[in-house]
Amino acid sequence: VAAAIKEAGFYIENEVVQSIAGHRAEPKSVDTGRLMGSIRTHFPKPTEAIVDTNVSYAKYLEYGTSRINPRHHFRNTAKRNTKKVNNFIKNKVDAII
């Protein structure tokens, strides 16, 4: 299960990067490439993957401001891939069983 969670976490990390790069439904958010290069996956528990960034302005791109429309790179990626990730993990577990 832990291996499946790791693979799923890295898959979502890549999908967020693709979203930021403009290869998904959200508008491109690349100026310097700093945000795109900062996306990382952490595994605080064997059954948990967290995809995040330490770039301070990411929250403004994600949620928007009075001048910037929200781009929802993280939220839309999670929504778009929830079923796929669940099936991915289920298939990995079923293969072991």
Side-chain angles (χ1 to χ4, degrees), residues 7-26:
E7 284 187 50
F10 290 131
Y11 172 79
I12 293 297
E13 176 183 318
N14 182 60
E15 286 295 302
V16 170
V17 169
Q18 294 300 312
S19 173
I20 293 167
H23 300 299
R24 299 296 181 263
E26 299 75 35

Side-chain angles (χ1 to χ4, degrees), residues 10 59 66-67 74 81 90:
F10 290 131
K59 61 186 168 196
S66 61
R67 295 184 190 183
F74 290 88
N81 290 287
K90 180 186 178 305

Side-chain angles (χ1 to χ4, degrees), residues 46-80:
T47 57
E48 184 176 15
I50 298 174
V51 179
D52 66 4
T53 178
N54 62 355
V55 173
S56 60
Y57 60 84
K59 61 186 168 196
Y60 303 119
L61 291 173
E62 184 72 15
Y63 298 105
T65 69
S66 61
R67 295 184 190 183
I68 301 171
N69 289 330
R71 299 189 182 178
H72 302 303
H73 296 296
F74 290 88
R75 295 164 77 188
N76 287 350
T77 296
K79 186 176 182 179
R80 195 170 32 245

